[in-house]
Amino acid sequence: MHVRCTVESMNYSACGLVAGDHFDVIDGQLSLPTGRPFCYFAIANAMPLLSSRLDRPEGDEWLDSRPLIACPDPPEALYMRLERITDPETPE
């Protein structure tokens, strides 16, 4: 399964993230776009949620709602959207 976590909105980013920055989790492996850093704390906040949810049968249904998750630094109010990426060339 391919899941993308994209920065949707924020007050500001201490790590230099901008709306649209993202990372992918593809079959349990982390992938970052070439040349673009991503905040370790935001990734660390998302990974346990992804791991616990995607191992369940209802994981697909949960991703269909395109949930938002927050970075752990409250003043930043940085929210990331989770969504399943479907590649027509890659079977699920």
Side-chain angles (χ1 to χ4, degrees):
M1 181 178 291
H2 182 169
V3 178
R4 178 162 291 161
C5 186
T6 305
V7 175
E8 179 110 346
S9 64
M10 71 192 98
N11 284 338
Y12 72 94
S13 174
C15 298
L17 294 174
V18 297
D21 282 349
H22 70 275
F23 67 89
D24 295 332
V25 177
I26 304 168
D27 297 329
Q29 295 185 356
L30 180 66
S31 176
L32 296 170
T34 304
R36 288 296 306 163
F38 207 94
C39 174
Y40 170 79
F41 296 109
I43 292 171
N45 202 48
M47 293 308 284
L49 182 63
L50 286 171
S51 300
S52 66
R53 288 289 192 137
L54 297 181
D55 287 343
R56 297 180 182 176
E58 65 273 8
D60 286 351
E61 293 173 17
W62 175 70
L63 279 174
D64 288 342
S65 70
R66 300 181 67 229
L68 286 173
I69 58 174
C71 179
D73 186 3
E76 289 185 7
L78 189 144
Y79 292 96
M80 300 171 288
R81 171 88 51 205
L82 296 176
E83 61 186 318
R84 183 182 12 204
I85 302 298
T86 305
D87 182 355
E89 296 178 15
T90 305
E92 291 272 336

